[in-house]
Amino acid sequence: MSNALQAVADWEEAPGLLEGASQLELTARDCDLDYWFTAVAQGTLKGMVHGHSPKAHVPSYMMQPGPLRDAIMDELAFRSIAEDKATRAITYIVADAPDVYTMEFFATQLIDEARHSRVFRGHLLELGVPENELFATIDRISGRDADAILKPLEEFAFPMIREGHDFIAGVVILTILVEGVLAPSAELSERKWRLLDPAAAEIERGANIDEIRHLTVGSAVVRQYLLEHPDETPRVLDIITRGRALWAQLPTADVIVRREMWFHEGLQQHARVVGDYEIWPGKRLIDTTPEERLVAAQTWSMEMQNSRLQYMGLAEAIP
Ligand SMILES: [Fe+2]
Ligand SMILES: [Fe+2]
């Protein structure tokens, strides 16, 4: 395996999610099962305990009731449900993969997503949620949000991927409409929590390293498909248009803003911890407003999606 390929999954050397997902080119053939064992299981994840390095700690203030704790619990409860649902949905993509390379790649992505759900949930245990209350807690915090946001996405996808066995629709939905939309908030999150909850930030970093692979390989699969089936382009564009129209109706903003307000209140209380830490070059985290952070994530989202759509041969879908 080339060093460059290995570096994409290296804890120290891997680029940030948005940079990696905007600039790299990886195919399902590059990222087969052998690659996953070497570069991910024995690479990214080597020595990790509960999805983070053993030295990353959970600060004592995170164990106390307060807005910072509310913010991380809300985020991880929701994301653990989302990753669980993604894992199950990917089973249809694996089942309908047209060749062994895509089958192996999406099988690794399936395990990655199951792992994400597990480590996000695991951090709730690290925050002191009793094990026998874990699932009830997740449901209490995020059950309603999941019903409002994730169920409609499943209802959109299942007729195509589960009933219709439509492999490429599954990859388009997963890569462009789900992961492409969520990646920027995952990047923001990794940066926000770096000093405030180092264990959570490392868990996110690990998931984001996986995400670089998911976004780049997913894009390569769509690109190759459209090169071989140019007549399918209008149908793929239609899935994107309908998916975006659905997103526009979902109450995602309410959930994200609520979480960001809690984070902001907690950030002010623990300003000492973050000191002069910069969330992006030239901007101290403590000087950002919730709105600035959300706008930054939005902007990153647009930039990354546009570069991926261009690459896939779907420039027409760029707004
Ligand atoms: Fe994930
Ligand atoms: Fe993913």
Side-chain angles (χ1 to χ4, degrees), residues 83 86 90 109 112-113 116 174 179 207 210-215:
E83 301 278 1
I90 291 169
Q109 180 167 351
D112 291 335
E113 309 300 7
H116 299 166
L174 185 66
E179 306 212 288
D210 294 337
E211 216 47 53
I212 296 173
R213 224 165 39 247
H214 302 167
L215 284 162

